[in-house]
Amino acid sequence: MIGKAGHTRDGIKIHQDVDFDGMRKAGAVTARILDEIAEHVFPGQTTGEIDRIITEKVAEYGTTSATIGYKGYEHASCISVNHVVCHGIPGDKKLKDGDILNIDVTVILDGWFGDSSRMYVAGKLSRKAERLIQITHDALMKGIEAVKPGNTFGDIGHAIQTFAEGHRMSVVRDFCGHGLGQVFHAPPNVLHYGRPGTGPMLEEGMFFTIEPMINLGRPETKVLADDWTAVTRDKSLSAQFEHSIGVTRNGADIFTLSPTGKFHPTYE
Ligand code: MF3
Ligand code: CO
Ligand code: CO
């Protein structure tokens, strides 16, 4: 048993053992949907059709979409193609051979939010896109490895930043991870860059996402006129992976792990 009900630290909610069960169930549905959507990604497919299939699965598995109706957003997923950094809106544009895309899904099950995203490819993956996807995936995992009580959020950001920049890629500053649980977005902002030992201390029972966006070019982004779609200013390729996790006694519980080990790569 950890903490007492309603306990927070630095404004971050400290959850109980039973809450981990709720997050595991919600996260498992998100992961299953992301596993099953892989076969629907191919050249000629539209992102709107991918989102329609996700919408169907969200209902089929007894969950509701956290994004439909969120700040006016109307879709069950964000689908971000090539130089789109995040919050790409599904539509009737067809995927082309070699396009890379992030699919981001958040479901609600029994009041708990499961938020995760992965990279996919339509057709044949280029060498440079493959490298970007591999480094981005590994950067997320380096961040998760820094999660344990006594470390700080700055340690997570530092692990991600040093890894990505060590491979001459850049970390997006304009978007970050977030606390979650029985709400979609809660404190703290989880930065994907930073200095060791800075920021709030990690404590058992904290739930949050880590979701680094890594660019082949410069880190700057801009949001298009639709008020959602964020793109790289220099039009360079961008990739992202996201897990929802909980801090345990000695590490992290990853709530959105793929049941079939498909989190990465999804294109084999
Ligand atoms: N799932 C996104 C995240 O990781 C948020 C999407 S909000 C939406 O936080 F409205 F754009 F769907
Ligand atoms: Co998120
Ligand atoms: Co997300």
Side-chain angles (χ1 to χ4, degrees):
M1 200 59 186
I2 45 176
K4 55 181 191 297
H7 173 208
T8 63
R9 173 167 180 142
D10 293 328
I12 304 163
K13 189 172 165 68
I14 303 303
H15 296 85
Q16 310 301 309
D17 289 355
V18 56
D19 303 337
F20 279 76
D21 297 331
M23 287 299 283
R24 269 184 221 113
K25 286 181 189 150
V29 174
T30 304
R32 178 178 178 188
I33 292 170
L34 290 178
D35 274 12
E36 292 176 356
I37 207 63
E39 68 183 82
H40 300 284
V41 176
F42 47 80
Q45 174 69 297
T46 68
T47 55
E49 174 63 10
I50 294 171
D51 181 72
R52 192 194 62 73
I53 296 164
I54 291 170
T55 307
E56 245 171 42
K57 289 180 183 292
V58 167
E60 185 183 340
Y61 302 146
T63 55
T64 54
S65 167
T67 55
I68 296 175
Y70 177 78
K71 295 184 176 171
Y73 196 77
E74 294 175 339
H75 306 274
S77 62
C78 296
I79 304 184
S80 303
V81 182
N82 294 337
H83 74 298
V84 179
V85 172
C86 63
H87 301 163
I89 302 175
D92 47 24
K93 211 173 143 202
K94 286 187 167 71
L95 295 172
K96 300 185 306 295
D97 187 42
D99 281 349
I100 61 166
L101 50 151
N102 174 277
I103 303 181
D104 190 337
V105 172
T106 310
V107 306
I108 312 170
L109 179 59
D110 297 331
W112 296 99
F113 286 66
D115 184 5
S116 183
S117 78
R118 306 179 194 165
M119 295 303 294
Y120 301 80
V121 62
K124 192 175 167 354
L125 191 61
S126 73
R127 290 287 293 277
K128 71 173 187 180
E130 178 170 18
R131 196 166 152 265
L132 172 66
I133 290 172
Q134 183 71 51
I135 297 300
T136 306
H137 170 271
D138 294 354
L140 168 59
M141 291 318 198
K142 297 280 178 198
I144 294 175
E145 280 169 25
V147 174
K148 63 173 181 196
N151 278 3
T152 70
F153 281 93
D155 294 329
I156 298 172
H158 181 74
I160 293 166
Q161 181 181 11
T162 53
F163 181 77
E165 292 180 352
H167 287 89
R168 279 180 240 81
M169 299 182 190
S170 68
V171 176
V172 169
R173 307 288 203 277
D174 301 336
F175 300 91
C176 55
H178 49 91
L180 85 173
Q182 284 169 307
V183 292
F184 195 174
H185 293 108
N189 287 332
V190 179
L191 306 182
H192 304 114
Y193 57 93
R195 282 175 292 120
T198 62
M201 188 91 82
L202 296 167
E203 192 175 312
E204 182 178 0
M206 289 179 175
F207 294 168
F208 53 89
T209 72
I210 307 178
E211 47 184 297
M213 287 139 275
I214 306 294
N215 300 345
L216 276 183
R218 294 191 51 84
E220 291 82 10
T221 71
K222 65 175 179 188
V223 175
L224 300 185
D226 61 23
D227 273 347
W228 283 107
T229 312
V231 299
T232 54
R233 279 192 176 267
D234 66 3
K235 305 241 169 48
S236 67
L237 278 185
S238 187
Q240 179 179 28
F241 284 85
E242 175 178 25
H243 270 314
S244 295
I245 68 160
V247 183
T248 63
R249 190 174 53 77
N250 52 13
D253 194 341
I254 305 176
F255 299 131
T256 45
L257 273 183
S258 166
T260 57
K262 272 200 220 165
F263 187 68
H264 174 78
T266 47
Y267 42 78
E268 275 179 0

